[in-house]
Amino acid sequence: AVGCGGGDEKKADGDKKITMGFSQIGAESEWRTANTESVKEAAKAAGIDLQFSDAQQKQENQIKAIRSFIAQGVDVIAFVPIVETGWDTVLKEAKDAKIPVIIVDRDLKVEDDSLYVAKIGTNMITEGEKGFEWLAKYANEKQLKPRDGGQQLNIVVLEGTVGSTAALGRTKGFNDAMAASPDKAKFNILASQTGEFTRQKGQEVMESFLKSYGSKIDILVAQNDDMALGAVQAIEAAGLKPGKDITILSFDGVKGIFQAMIEGKTNCTVECNPLQGELLMETAKKVLAGEKVDKIVYVEEGVFPAEVAEATLPSRKY
Ligand code: AHR
């Protein structure tokens, strides 16, 4: 734990309602919608006045929003960094204005860690590792064979937004786990391209993978569920059975992918928990009250293979 808010950061006055400026990156996925709802609902429940700004997938819009929160003199700023780099200047401006900053969902890299007071989110590297572990086990249990009769199971990857923690972390976790695995020789990454975390782009890129590699593709790793759902359409349009001809692993754990798993169209999702609003509001209150908070807090998440989808769907909250 580190001391935050105990220094020269701004503190909310006793009875005054706290105002939080929150910059969300957009609405690219089912996951993002759940994340936004979680933040809005938690702010309401906590009696915090939320100034919400949607950046439409542009870092420059986030920087503008943060500057406008500073100009308004909000009590605390929270934001989801669309990419990891490029935040030093604006966060220095927030620090100079004595407004504490809390990072949500994705990570960032700044020269001086005192530019933010806390980070709340998920461990994307661990998610990538869990994804490979599931895949290696599944390939062994099902005795998966390359469709083209070759020696290795070929993987295509739909990556998320270039430069985002969700893409960088899942790529690193997956690739490192594969490199360290006794099963590594069984797998080959054939192609990897961004699908920008959207269903539409996931479908388009999968179409182009199918055109280029056809029966060489055995496995799809989609770095979010929405891209996997888009890819399912492309695979069906190519006359193949998603989840059978091509094994599909994705990330997030949204209801839409549980439905697809129940229908046998995808095989596993590694959870990324978007319900971070409550923790964000609690953290903001503590920071403004001058209490100590943990610098990094990761929310809990699981791995859900298709076998558990039907039993699990009724209890899914997003
Ligand atoms: O940062 C979290 C990622 O962003 C989720 O995996 C994805 O669906 C979202 O758009």
Side-chain angles (χ1 to χ4, degrees):
V2 291
C4 298
D8 56 359
E9 282 124 5
K10 187 167 182 155
K11 289 180 195 168
D13 305 333
D15 293 336
K16 197 186 132 246
K17 202 171 183 188
I18 293 171
T19 300
M20 173 186 284
F22 182 79
S23 166
Q24 179 59 284
I25 58 178
E28 72 283 3
S29 62
E30 209 178 316
W31 189 99
R32 185 63 55 201
T33 306
N35 183 246
T36 294
E37 275 169 20
S38 167
V39 170
K40 286 185 174 171
E41 277 167 21
K44 213 168 160 201
I48 290 180
D49 175 20
L50 189 76
Q51 305 287 315
F52 183 89
S53 172
D54 177 338
Q56 312 270 332
Q57 308 299 321
K58 291 203 172 85
Q59 183 176 33
E60 65 197 73
N61 289 346
Q62 291 201 282
I63 293 173
K64 270 191 214 149
I66 295 169
R67 290 204 166 119
S68 122
F69 297 145
I70 298 170
Q72 281 174 58
V74 298
D75 299 304
V76 54
I77 293 172
F79 78 108
V80 176
I82 184 157
V83 292
E84 293 196 341
T85 54
W87 302 105
D88 294 76
T89 307
V90 73
L91 294 190
K92 269 182 206 137
E93 292 167 22
K95 193 175 180 190
D96 289 346
K98 303 192 187 339
I99 301 176
V101 174
I102 303 173
I103 310 302
V104 183
D105 168 28
R106 297 184 183 169
D107 209 340
L108 48 54
K109 287 196 169 58
V110 279
E111 274 176 29
D112 171 6
D113 280 354
S114 77
L115 293 178
Y116 60 89
V117 292
K119 273 187 211 164
I120 289 165
T122 63
N123 190 330
M124 314 279 192
I125 295 178
T126 308
E127 290 167 7
E129 289 164 358
K130 286 183 194 165
F132 179 78
E133 279 157 23
W134 171 82
L135 182 63
K137 196 161 163 262
Y138 183 83
N140 284 334
E141 279 170 11
K142 301 281 174 191
Q143 303 197 334
L144 288 187
K145 299 271 177 287
R147 287 201 298 139
D148 68 350
Q151 298 299 307
Q152 289 180 301
L153 291 163
N154 284 314
I155 302 174
V156 292
V157 183
L158 285 171
E159 292 171 35
T161 303
V162 176
S164 70
T165 308
L168 295 167
R170 289 170 192 163
T171 301
K172 179 172 168 47
F174 187 92
N175 291 354
D176 288 356
M178 185 164 120
S181 165
D183 290 321
K184 71 175 173 203
K186 283 189 192 157
F187 300 97
N188 170 47
I189 297 184
L190 196 59
S192 190
Q193 200 180 310
T194 183
E196 293 166 8
F197 280 136
T198 69
R199 216 171 270 216
Q200 175 71 31
K201 201 79 203 258
Q203 180 172 351
E204 283 168 24
V205 178
M206 190 67 205
E207 276 164 11
S208 90
F209 281 158
L210 286 161
K211 265 193 204 129
S212 308
Y213 304 107
S215 66
K216 280 197 174 315
I217 305 173
D218 301 300
I219 295 159
L220 164 66
V221 176
Q223 289 183 346
N224 83 346
D225 291 341
D226 281 71
M227 293 190 293
L229 293 169
V232 161
Q233 312 254 321
I235 294 167
E236 286 178 332
L240 296 167
K241 287 197 169 58
K244 296 187 181 68
D245 295 323
I246 297 180
T247 299
I248 303 179
L249 162 70
S250 58
F251 294 82
D252 281 359
V254 296
K255 283 184 184 165
I257 207 77
F258 275 79
Q259 198 49 52
M261 288 195 287
I262 292 168
E263 289 163 17
K265 294 183 177 184
T266 71
N267 307 87
C268 181
T269 186
V270 175
E271 189 178 34
C272 175
N273 187 348
L275 307 179
Q276 301 167 4
E278 216 179 301
L279 184 58
L280 170 61
M281 301 309 151
E282 268 170 37
T283 305
K285 283 189 172 178
K286 283 188 186 160
V287 166
L288 292 169
E291 289 175 35
K292 282 185 189 302
V293 295
D294 289 332
K295 189 94 181 179
I296 301 180
V297 180
Y298 290 133
V299 292
E300 281 189 23
E301 32 198 11
V303 176
F304 300 96
E307 310 85 88
V308 304
E310 194 152 14
T312 312
L313 179 57
S315 62
R316 297 298 295 162
K317 293 201 178 65
Y318 63 95

